[in-house]
Amino acid sequence: MSDAAAELPPALFARLDESEDAAFYAAPRFVVHIDEATIAALTQWYGEVLAPGAEVLDLMSSWVSHLPEPAALPLARVVGLGMNAAELAANPRLTGFDVVDLNAAPRLPYPDASFDAVLCAVSIQYLTQPFAVFAEVARVLRPGGRVAIATSQRCFPTKAIRAFQLLPPRERLALIALYLERAGGFAPAEWVDRSPPGADPLWIVTALASASEARSEP
C-alpha cells in the first residue's frame, strides 16, 4: 500500500473477487452503469466543462464515453484506456485506445502534460490502488487541466472495492476527494450533483491540476 493510503484500513480496498481482473474483463460486456436520463445529464455536464479542441483521456473506458457528439463538442483527441479491446474498439468517440490493467500496474502509458482533461465515468469503484493512479493522472494533465470522476450506484459487485459497498454516497464522494488530495497535484476538489429526477443518481468529483504541484515523469 502506498504512503498516501497508509492511514486507511486495507480492507476498504478488498473485493469479493480477488482473481485477476484480466480474466474477469476478457469477454466484452456492452452494458452501462447508469440509465438514459443520467447518461444525458453527464453528457450535458461534459459539454459545459470541456473546451472544444481539448485532448481528453477517458480513464477506465469502455464502448461508450458519454461525451457530446463531435458536432456539438469537437475534440482534438479522445484516448480510451480500459480493460477490453473489443469494447474500446466499438467506442465511436475514441481516436485511439490502450488496454491497461491499472490494478496490476497503476501507471499511465503517456508522457507528462499530455491531456487537457481526464474523465472517469462510473468506474472509480473498481480501482484498488487509487492514490497511485491519481498521482499518474496529475502527471499526465496539463496545468489547469481537469479531472472529473462521475459516480452513481450500480456496479459489478464482486469487483467493486469494499468501501463502495459499505459507505453511503456522501462518504464515497469524500473518499474520492481524498484520493485527489493524497495523490497531490490538484486544487481542492468540488462535488457536483446532476442527478435527474426519478433516474439513477449522478455525482461528480472534479478538480483542476495545480501548476505549482506539477509532477515530472521519473
Side-chain angles (χ1 to χ4, degrees):
M1 181 172 293
S2 70
D3 291 341
E7 298 175 17
L8 296 174
L12 286 179
F13 301 97
R15 302 170 298 171
L16 291 173
D17 179 3
E18 294 287 8
S19 64
E20 290 188 4
D21 290 339
F24 182 85
Y25 293 103
R29 291 177 172 86
F30 294 102
V31 300
V32 291
H33 284 332
I34 47 178
D35 57 25
E36 290 185 7
T38 308
I39 289 173
L42 180 56
T43 299
Q44 179 177 340
W45 188 82
Y46 283 157
E48 293 171 9
V49 301
L50 297 177
E55 295 186 87
V56 174
L57 173 60
D58 185 8
L59 197 67
M60 305 177 75
S61 184
S62 181
W63 65 288
V64 59
S65 292
H66 308 314
L67 287 162
E69 293 296 323
L73 180 65
L75 297 168
R77 181 169 63 127
V78 182
V79 177
L81 184 148
M83 288 289 292
N84 185 279
E87 292 175 9
L88 294 165
N91 187 330
R93 203 62 170 95
L94 300 182
T95 57
F97 66 82
D98 296 285
V99 177
V100 176
D101 183 350
L102 291 174
N103 288 339
R107 177 80 177 167
L108 299 180
Y110 313 110
D112 294 0
S114 298
F115 298 99
D116 301 299
V118 176
L119 313 177
C120 182
V122 292
S123 296
I124 187 66
Q125 63 269 23
Y126 303 122
L127 279 181
T128 61
Q129 301 185 69
F131 299 98
V133 170
F134 285 104
E136 280 288 282
V137 169
R139 180 182 64 78
V140 303
L141 272 172
R142 296 178 178 127
R146 180 181 297 276
V147 61
I149 304 144
T151 73
S152 190
Q153 291 184 334
R154 287 192 258 168
C155 65
F156 299 131
T158 61
K159 283 296 184 180
I161 64 170
R162 193 168 183 230
F164 278 78
Q165 308 274 16
L166 299 179
L167 297 177
R170 178 167 289 275
E171 292 185 30
R172 295 201 300 266
L173 296 175
L175 181 62
I176 295 168
L178 184 64
Y179 292 168
L180 301 180
E181 178 186 339
R182 296 278 185 88
F186 297 103
E190 300 177 354
W191 303 358
V192 179
D193 188 342
R194 286 297 185 94
S195 304
D200 288 328
L202 176 62
W203 305 296
I204 305 162
V205 178
T206 185
L208 300 181
S210 170
S212 63
E213 297 185 47
R215 291 175 172 264
S216 297
E217 188 172 10

